[in-house]
Amino acid sequence: MSKAKDTYNRKNYSQLSVRLEKELIAEFKERCDMEKRAYADVIRQLLKTYLKTP
């Protein structure tokens, strides 16, 4: 990653780290790969949906 892009990302994004069961992560990755979806895109959509729910 270029220095400029790294600087931009640090200014505009936060990173979230979680520990989950290996089996759950394996299943998640398998499904994302099967559907040809990026992991971050799936998680981003889940967070947006969650935040819209009262």
Side-chain angles (χ1 to χ4, degrees), residues 1-2 4 9 13-16 21 24-25 29 31-32 34 42 44 50-51 54:
M1 183 179 312
S2 72
N9 285 342
Y13 294 93
S14 291
Q15 190 170 358
L16 180 65
E21 295 85 358
L24 182 63
I25 296 299
K29 288 181 174 183
R31 181 163 176 185
C32 287
M34 186 173 53
V42 173
R44 184 180 299 107
Y50 176 75
L51 292 172

Side-chain angles (χ1 to χ4, degrees), residues 28-39:
F28 170 73
K29 288 181 174 183
E30 183 179 323
R31 181 163 176 185
C32 287
D33 293 345
M34 186 173 53
E35 296 176 356
K36 295 181 171 52
R37 295 183 66 190
Y39 308 148

Side-chain angles (χ1 to χ4, degrees), residues 3-54:
K3 186 174 181 178
K5 187 171 183 178
D6 188 45
T7 299
Y8 174 84
N9 285 342
R10 277 186 277 137
K11 284 183 179 181
N12 294 287
Y13 294 93
S14 291
Q15 190 170 358
L16 180 65
S17 177
V18 297
R19 290 188 185 266
L20 300 167
E21 295 85 358
K22 288 183 179 185
E23 296 81 17
L24 182 63
I25 296 299
E27 188 175 341
F28 170 73
K29 288 181 174 183
E30 183 179 323
R31 181 163 176 185
C32 287
D33 293 345
M34 186 173 53
E35 296 176 356
K36 295 181 171 52
R37 295 183 66 190
Y39 308 148
D41 289 340
V42 173
I43 293 169
R44 184 180 299 107
Q45 187 58 48
L46 289 168
L47 286 170
K48 287 179 179 181
T49 300
Y50 176 75
L51 292 172
K52 287 180 185 177
T53 305

